[in-house]
Amino acid sequence: MLAAPINRLITELSRFPGVGQRTAQRMAFHLLRVSDAEALALAEAIRDVKEQVGECEVCFNLATEPRCRICTDDRRDRHVICVVEDPSDVISLERTNEFNGLYHVLGGALSPIDGVDPEDLHLAELADRAAGPEVREVVVATNATTTGEATALYIADALHERAPGVTVSRLASGLPVGADLEYADEITLGRAMRARRALD
Amino acid sequence: MLAAPINRLITELSRFPGVGQRTAQRMAFHLLRVSDAEALALAEAIRDVKEQVGECEVCFNLATEPRCRICTDDRRDRHVICVVEDPSDVISLERTNEFNGLYHVLGGALSPIDGVDPEDLHLAELADRAAGPEVREVVVATNATTTGEATALYIADALHERAPGVTVSRLASGLPVGADLEYADEITLGRAMRARRALD
């Protein structure tokens, strides 16, 4: 019932995660309504991002140059590397202003059931970096999910062998700020209890 | 902190209605993650839609030809015109399979406070069409909002003058199917009461 180009646009828009047929249709009609300039600015932005943005050759974060902005920043602490699954995790951590070291983007988490094995992630490159003379600590900031936890354990093992002098740490588990005990699951609450801290 | 092309993409994506900064960022990272082919297919689809889709010269519905598929369809009943605010409303009504006439897309609803006056909508063209020899009924299917209702009244007045022989009708107001009386607002419930029908 819709013209072919509109149907094709709806199909393409519905590939976004969390965007169903209905939302994609609304988005398509929005693009039909706005000026050509505004719609084409989006098309152009997509094209530019795919042409200009690649991976940092050191940490695999997003980069428009061979090395990313963090790797080339002299003010960052080169003794600590924070390991994350995806480039978006770098943004989340940078927003906290709690970390001033370097990053290493794995490109996912280990999940043999989905066919993601160690050689599919940037794990060998992490071991090489961690074995370098400058690195003192590797903070494993993979997700607190089954696959993220498995990846963290794998990294701890691998680095224990390849970079024995390096401390491997993991983000704390516990109650999210603002959370009610009543709604916390027992695993989170149990970890929060085990990792309790003295109040000074 | 993000590279310029990524920021620009996030800005463009956040122009979609209901898409905030956070969602736009997630969408941008999705586009960064997928293949070039998939991302560029979206850019291409946007471009195609803006190049190939225009307005029907008769009813102002979306069309890839001078006249839309409905206006050129011989099986449609040319005695009835259904007036809607936007092209997406045509899709919603077509999905009901309850209407086999023609449409007329106004391009919005009257809203003097937002600067939308009669001459900003396709109202003159509607009066011309309604005054034609074939038309017997105009169904006003503008939204059941303040502006939609005001537009419906305006149309009823205008057609009373320009096309006195034409019946002007309005979509029924009442309880949406599946609704609880408890949660219905009193205006809707009042209208449902006033427009009650005999059960046969």
Side-chain angles (χ1 to χ4, degrees), chain B residues 109-117 120 147:
Chain B
L110 289 176
S111 181
I113 213 167
D114 303 311
V116 184
D117 295 311
D120 298 317
T147 55

Side-chain angles (χ1 to χ4, degrees), chain B residues 152-162:
Chain B
L153 291 177
Y154 181 95
I155 290 170
D157 271 358
L159 296 191
H160 188 68
E161 219 165 275
R162 278 291 309 278

Side-chain angles (χ1 to χ4, degrees), chain B residues 86-169:
Chain B
D86 293 308
S88 55
D89 301 329
V90 173
I91 317 292
S92 303
L93 284 162
E94 284 297 289
R95 281 216 189 94
T96 68
N97 282 320
E98 291 283 347
F99 182 72
N100 191 40
L102 304 177
Y103 288 95
H104 190 87
V105 179
L106 294 174
L110 289 176
S111 181
I113 213 167
D114 303 311
V116 184
D117 295 311
E119 56 276 17
D120 298 317
L121 304 178
H122 299 299
L123 284 164
E125 294 92 338
L126 171 64
D128 289 345
R129 288 181 73 190
E134 279 183 311
V135 181
R136 292 186 200 146
E137 182 180 359
V138 169
V139 185
V140 184
T142 51
N143 291 329
T145 56
T146 322
T147 55
E149 294 286 351
T151 310
L153 291 177
Y154 181 95
I155 290 170
D157 271 358
L159 296 191
H160 188 68
E161 219 165 275
R162 278 291 309 278
V166 169
T167 307
V168 180
S169 58

Side-chain angles (χ1 to χ4, degrees), chain B:
Chain B
M1 131 100 232
L2 282 165
I6 306 178
N7 272 327
R8 198 154 66 80
L9 178 58
I10 293 173
T11 306
E12 293 302 333
L13 288 167
S14 65
R15 293 191 208 279
F16 280 115
V19 172
Q21 201 61 22
R22 208 73 181 249
T23 309
Q25 189 188 305
R26 209 161 23 230
M27 290 166 80
F29 277 105
H30 167 81
L31 289 173
L32 280 160
R33 205 164 34 234
V34 301
S35 68
D36 279 15
E38 184 174 334
L40 296 183
L42 172 58
E44 206 50 56
I46 295 169
R47 213 172 273 277
D48 286 353
V49 122
K50 295 308 275 190
E51 261 169 27
Q52 296 168 23
V53 181
E55 280 178 347
C56 171
E57 62 185 17
V58 176
C59 75
F60 305 98
N61 188 11
L62 299 171
T64 49
E65 308 286 328
R67 296 198 175 191
C68 77
R69 289 186 187 191
I70 295 173
C71 283
T72 52
D73 185 343
D74 288 340
R75 291 159 304 178
R76 307 289 302 208
D77 179 359
R78 276 150 210 285
H79 301 306
V80 198
I81 297 177
C82 178
V83 183
V84 295
E85 296 183 16
D86 293 308
S88 55
D89 301 329
V90 173
I91 317 292
S92 303
L93 284 162
E94 284 297 289
R95 281 216 189 94
T96 68
N97 282 320
E98 291 283 347
F99 182 72
N100 191 40
L102 304 177
Y103 288 95
H104 190 87
V105 179
L106 294 174
L110 289 176
S111 181
I113 213 167
D114 303 311
V116 184
D117 295 311
E119 56 276 17
D120 298 317
L121 304 178
H122 299 299
L123 284 164
E125 294 92 338
L126 171 64
D128 289 345
R129 288 181 73 190
E134 279 183 311
V135 181
R136 292 186 200 146
E137 182 180 359
V138 169
V139 185
V140 184
T142 51
N143 291 329
T145 56
T146 322
T147 55
E149 294 286 351
T151 310
L153 291 177
Y154 181 95
I155 290 170
D157 271 358
L159 296 191
H160 188 68
E161 219 165 275
R162 278 291 309 278
V166 169
T167 307
V168 180
S169 58
R170 179 93 177 98
L171 290 189
S173 273
L175 291 174
V177 176
D180 261 28
L181 252 67
E182 189 177 351
Y183 299 113
D185 66 283
E186 61 268 29
I187 299 177
T188 300
L189 199 53
R191 287 205 190 173
M193 177 59 78
R194 238 183 297 148
R196 65 190 180 276
R197 303 191 313 162
L199 283 172
D200 13 50

